[in-house]
Amino acid sequence: MRSDASSVVKGLFLIFASICAWYFGYLFAEIIPEDHLSSAVYRIQSIGEKPVIKAPPPKRQKCDHWTACPPDTYAYRLLSGGGKDNFAKICFEDELLIGEKKGNVARGINIAIVNYNTGKVTQTQYFDMYEGDNSGPMTAFIKNAPERSLLLMVTHDDGSTRLKNDAKSAIEALGSKEIQNMRFRSSWVFLAAKGFQLPDYLQREKINHSDNAKNRYSGWPAEIQIEGCIPRKPS
C-alpha cells in the first residue's frame, strides 16, 4: 500500500512540477520581448567564437584614383569616349572639367585649359573633326592658351577626319608623339604643358585605333585613359 501511495504522490508531484514549469515559461516569454530573448540566445551561442574584424571601406580618392596623390600634386584623369554613347571625361583635382554631366562634351577633340599655378580651369571647348572647318579654330585655341597652362585633350567619336596639319603641328609642338598617327575614330588622350616641362615619368598620352576585328563597340575601339599626379612645382 505504501508503495502505491508513494507512486501516486510522485506522479502528482511531476504533474504539478510540469504545470509550474509551463506557467513560469509562459510568464517569462510574456515579460521578456522576443528580440531581447533572441539577442541573449545569440550572445550565448557566440561565446567562444573568434571576433570578426571588418576592414573599413576604402576611402574614395580624387578623380577615382586607386591611391591618393601626394598633397603637393594635382590629380588628373583623362578618359576618351567609347562608342557612341560613352562620352569622354576630363577630371582634374576631383573636379569634372569636361563630361556628359557638365554638358560640354561632343564629337571631335575636347580640350580643357588649366592654370598651372592655381590649378583652376580657365577654358573648355570641343571641336568637331567630322563636320565643319574646326581645325583652324582649334589651332588658334591651343596657341592662345596662356603660358604656364596645362592642356588636357580627349577624343569622342572621330577626331581625325578634318584634322589638318596646322593643328597636328601645334599639338606635336606640345610634346605629342601620336597626333600624327590619328586615324578615323581613334581613341586618344593627351596631357600637355605650355611654358614649362612636365616630369618624364608622368603618363601623358595614349592612343587606340579602330580595328573591326578588335573593336569593343560596333565601329569603335574601346575607350582609353591615363591618370597620375602632377607636381605643383615642375622638376
Side-chain angles (χ1 to χ4, degrees):
M1 293 293 292
R2 288 182 180 180
S3 177
D4 292 341
S6 177
S7 297
V8 171
V9 170
K10 288 181 180 179
L12 292 173
F13 178 77
L14 288 174
I15 293 171
F16 177 75
S18 298
I19 294 172
C20 288
W22 173 85
Y23 180 71
F24 283 116
Y26 172 79
L27 287 179
F28 185 73
E30 288 293 320
I31 294 172
I32 300 178
E34 184 178 351
D35 56 342
H36 288 187
L37 184 61
S38 299
S39 298
V41 172
Y42 174 77
R43 285 194 294 269
I44 293 171
Q45 291 176 342
S46 299
I47 295 175
E49 293 183 1
K50 293 183 179 180
V52 178
I53 300 175
K54 294 184 178 180
K59 182 181 178 181
R60 183 187 170 278
Q61 306 300 337
K62 290 179 179 179
C63 294
D64 293 321
H65 283 201
W66 283 105
T67 57
C69 282
D72 57 344
T73 62
Y74 296 124
Y76 69 92
R77 181 170 179 258
L78 281 65
L79 177 69
S80 74
K84 208 171 192 178
D85 302 320
N86 298 312
F87 288 89
K89 294 178 184 178
I90 294 177
C91 177
F92 189 85
E93 275 298 277
D94 216 27
E95 180 183 354
L96 182 66
L97 305 187
I98 287 179
E100 186 178 11
K101 289 183 179 179
K102 297 280 288 188
N104 61 350
V105 61
R107 179 178 62 190
I109 297 178
N110 298 259
I111 304 176
I113 299 176
V114 174
N115 183 306
Y116 174 74
N117 295 328
T118 64
K120 300 299 181 183
V121 62
T122 58
Q123 286 180 286
T124 65
Q125 188 61 266
Y126 55 81
F127 300 91
D128 191 339
M129 289 297 153
Y130 187 74
E131 291 182 340
D133 186 10
N134 297 303
S135 188
M138 187 180 73
T139 303
F141 183 80
I142 292 170
K143 289 184 175 180
N144 290 334
E147 292 293 304
R148 295 185 66 76
S149 291
L150 292 163
L151 290 89
L152 302 91
M153 309 182 192
V154 293
T155 57
H156 177 71
D157 198 330
D158 179 46
S160 69
T161 297
R162 294 182 181 271
L163 182 64
K164 297 180 180 178
N165 288 332
D166 56 347
K168 291 182 180 180
S169 297
I171 296 173
E172 192 173 38
L174 292 172
S176 172
K177 294 183 170 77
E178 298 289 354
I179 193 63
Q180 297 291 349
N181 300 322
M182 284 274 283
R183 303 175 193 167
F184 179 65
R185 286 181 177 169
S186 292
S187 295
W188 175 71
V189 291
F190 177 52
L191 167 67
K194 185 175 181 180
F196 65 99
Q197 295 293 321
L198 291 170
D200 292 337
Y201 62 79
L202 283 180
Q203 191 176 23
R204 295 184 56 191
E205 189 175 25
K206 202 170 184 180
I207 196 167
N208 187 22
H209 300 299
S210 181
D211 182 342
N212 288 331
K214 300 178 181 178
N215 285 345
R216 174 177 293 178
Y217 310 99
S218 178
W220 281 272
E223 56 268 76
I224 54 174
Q225 71 174 18
I226 59 173
E227 63 180 43
C229 310
I230 303 171
R232 292 178 186 261
K233 292 182 180 180
S235 56

